[in-house]
């Protein structure tokens, strides 16, 4: 007697699923033969990518243009904030994301300029040049202040070094992500990359007839379709392709989802195994119908599961190599238990983001200031022994005084920061040993190359958060720098 709960199985959709997730290489080879090889795998899943943008202010300056280059080399998405886009193109090329804004005019720091930022590197400064003028390539300026009689041209130190920095800090505070979080998937910003990395994986692979899909609509990921228990089926899911390199979430406590469901219970799976049918680390969570909620999932609470059965001797989740993510609606929990909030039929589930939470506090605002900012007016100071910028502070419109006020605006903002106070900047090649000090007493020089590298390295280091320090170069050339060790010797600023 025929099984009344049998339905027509879709072989075509089965093959389509296996092909999408590259389960059988031969099928993908046939597809490429028929459709043509995809162009350079432009959307190949990459867990090492940075989702957010590094906003570089002062991007056409001597330090700023080098910060842009190094940030790009280290895989960051970079947005250069500039006042003259044609001039910026000549410095930075045609492939960089440029936005026109002026930090002295807060109304120009628009949502378009600040969107999606994960950190800011501020290298802005007033323009100083010789009184008698300079060459087009600023050769006199790059010799150093002590070689000429300087003057400020253009905007004032108060507007740039203080009010401009303060404007940028206040704007960034509205758009920077919450500290200790890492954005993994942002569905509020639809992209071809997101669309290509997620696909449906339903019970058609087990002979079932449930069907779902994922669409990027209304600035969310919409997971919807119909789940059926026919043919002994009963699950629908969406899953990413395997990421290479995988996500390294070893410094975080778990993942957080921003979702709106239909009142049913869903599951998330994280996998460290690139095989098609391997162990998944699972967590079940309930949704509230038509209500946006945050679901916080500690890595420690994930359960190792293979084909809906717990794996008792499985190792803990290896957080440093998360290869794929999966969202599922199933009639089963695991080990034969039923999902108490499952209903066959149509379903809808929306998602805005997936983030890692509970990580280290990394700097989100790097400010390049100057050594000497606390010295003008300091009791007992011997101006004859001080650098020209300290001697000429009043003549140059209080440049160091206003830089210090700009620093203070950042320290008071609540944003995790690093304030770098370089000694005299040079155009020399980098690669010297670096000397960090605090207390604003050192004198010396340092290459703009090394300051730019320092700015980018600080973004990665918890020890670089909420510190202010001076820096100069030593005499010796070095092949590599232990950044962690350098920052470990610094004291946190008093808050």
């Amino acid at each position: 007697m025929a099984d009344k709960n049998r339905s027509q199985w879709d072989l075509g959709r089965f093959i389509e699923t296996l092909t999408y997730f590259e389960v059988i290489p031969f099928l993908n080879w046939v597809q490429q033969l028929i459709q043509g090889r995809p162009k350079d795998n432009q959307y190949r899943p990459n867990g090492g990518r940075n989702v957010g943008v590094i906003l570089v202010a002062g991007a056409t300056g001597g330090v700023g243009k080098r910060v842009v280059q190094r940030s790009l080399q280290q895989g960051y998405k970079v947005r250069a904030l500039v006042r003259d886009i044609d001039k910026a193109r000549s410095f930075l090329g045609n492939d960089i994301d440029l936005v026109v804004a002026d930090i002295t005019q807060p109304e120009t720091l628009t949502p378009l300029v600040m969107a999606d930022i994960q950190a800011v590197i501020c290298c802005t400064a007033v323009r100083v040049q010789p009184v008698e003028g300079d060459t087009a390539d600023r050769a006199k300026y790059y010799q150093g202040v002590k070689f000429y009689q300087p003057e400020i041209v253009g905007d004032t130190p108060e507007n740039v070094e203080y009010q401009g920095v303060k404007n940028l800090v206040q704007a960034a505070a509205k758009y920077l992500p919450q500290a200790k979080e890492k954005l993994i998937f942002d569905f509020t910003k639809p992209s071809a990359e997101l669309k290509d990395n997620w696909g449906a994986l339903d019970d058609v692979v087990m002979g079932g007839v449930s069907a779902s899909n994922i669409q990027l609509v209304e600035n969310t990921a919409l997971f919807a379709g119909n789940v059926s228990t026919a043919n002994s089926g009963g699950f629908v899911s969406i899953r990413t392709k395997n990421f290479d390199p995988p996500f390294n979430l070893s410094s975080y406590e778990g993942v957080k989802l921003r979702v709106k469901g239909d009142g049913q219970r869903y599951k998330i799976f994280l996998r460290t195994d690139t095989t098609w049918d391997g162990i998944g680390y699972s967590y079940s969570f309930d949704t509230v119908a038509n209500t946006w909620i945050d679901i916080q999932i500690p890595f420690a609470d994930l359960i190792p599961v293979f084909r809906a059965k717990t794996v008792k001797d499985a190792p803990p989740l290896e957080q440093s190599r998360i290869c794929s993510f999966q969202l599922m609606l199933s009639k089963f929990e695991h080990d034969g238990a039923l999902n108490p909030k499952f209903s066959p039929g149509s379903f809808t589930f929306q998602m805005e983001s997936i983030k890692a939470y509970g990580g280290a506090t990394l700097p989100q605002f790097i400010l390049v200031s100057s050594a000497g900012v606390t010295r003008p007016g300091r009791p007992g100071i011997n101006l004859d022994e001080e650098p020209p910028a300290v001697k000429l502070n009043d003549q140059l419109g209080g440049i160091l005084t206003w830089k210090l006020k700009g620093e203070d605006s950042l320290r008071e903002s609540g944003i995790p920061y690093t304030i770098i106070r370089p000694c005299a900047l040079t155009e020399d090649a980098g690669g010297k040993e670096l000397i960090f000090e605090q207390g604003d007493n050192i004198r010396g020089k340092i290459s703009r190359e090394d300051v730019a590298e320092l700015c980018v390295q600080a973004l990665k280091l918890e020890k670089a958060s909420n510190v202010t320090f001076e820096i100069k170069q030593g005499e010796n050339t070095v092949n590599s720098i232990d950044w962690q060790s350098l920052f470990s010797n610094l004291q946190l600023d008093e808050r």
Side-chain angles (χ1 to χ4, degrees), residues 52 66 71 93 125 143 242 244 258 286 328 358 388 391 412 454 470 489:
R66 292 172 169 90
S71 299
Q143 291 178 47
N242 286 326
D244 184 20
R258 177 71 175 169
D286 295 334
M328 177 182 288
K391 298 178 185 178
E412 294 164 2
L454 170 59
E470 297 78 49
N489 295 322

Side-chain angles (χ1 to χ4, degrees), residues 59-200:
T60 59
V63 174
K65 63 186 180 183
R66 292 172 169 90
V67 167
V68 169
Q69 294 166 355
R70 279 163 171 70
S71 299
L72 291 171
Q73 290 168 359
Q74 297 195 28
Y76 289 104
K77 296 179 182 179
V78 178
R79 181 178 303 140
L81 189 157
V82 301
R83 289 185 294 180
D84 185 332
I85 202 163
D86 293 328
K87 175 186 174 183
R89 290 282 180 218
S90 68
F91 277 100
L92 304 174
N94 295 318
D95 298 329
I96 187 72
D97 178 15
L98 300 178
V99 288
V100 177
D102 185 339
I103 63 171
T104 68
Q105 300 175 30
E107 66 275 9
T108 67
L109 301 174
T110 64
L112 180 64
V113 172
M114 309 302 292
D116 307 326
I117 59 171
Q118 74 176 56
V120 177
I121 301 178
C122 182
C123 310
T124 56
V126 291
R127 186 177 177 90
V128 180
Q129 71 176 32
V131 171
E132 70 274 13
D134 204 347
T135 58
D137 60 358
R138 304 194 75 192
K140 291 181 181 179
Y141 170 76
Y142 287 135
Q143 291 178 47
V145 174
K146 68 180 180 180
F147 295 107
Y148 61 84
Q149 184 69 14
E151 67 176 353
I152 300 289
V153 293
D155 220 332
T156 67
E158 179 180 1
N159 282 344
V160 176
E161 310 288 1
Y162 168 52
Q163 195 59 56
V165 169
K166 184 177 180 180
N167 291 338
L168 185 58
V169 167
Q170 291 177 338
K174 299 175 185 176
Y175 292 91
L176 286 168
Q178 188 171 337
K180 301 187 178 184
E181 289 188 349
K182 174 185 175 68
L183 185 61
I184 302 173
F185 299 106
D186 184 2
F187 299 107
T188 67
K189 306 291 190 301
S191 67
E193 180 184 15
L194 272 177
K195 183 178 180 181
D196 193 66
N197 286 346
W198 287 81

Side-chain angles (χ1 to χ4, degrees), residues 268-283:
I268 185 171
F269 291 87
L270 276 60
R271 287 184 169 79
T272 59
D273 189 343
T274 59
T275 59
W276 165 250
D277 193 19
I279 293 175
Y281 291 78
S282 172
Y283 183 92

Side-chain angles (χ1 to χ4, degrees), residues 7 23 27 43 50 83 96 126 131 206 274 291 326 328 380 406 411 454 457 460-461:
S7 297
V23 179
L27 292 178
Y43 300 125
N50 293 285
R83 289 185 294 180
I96 187 72
V126 291
V131 171
M206 307 292 288
T274 59
T291 302
Q326 184 177 8
M328 177 182 288
R411 278 187 283 264
L454 170 59
Q457 292 293 335
K460 309 172 186 177
L461 299 172

Side-chain angles (χ1 to χ4, degrees), residues 450-465:
D450 287 335
V451 174
E453 182 67 19
L454 170 59
C455 288
V456 180
Q457 292 293 335
L459 293 172
K460 309 172 186 177
L461 299 172
E462 184 178 13
K463 292 289 186 180
S465 190

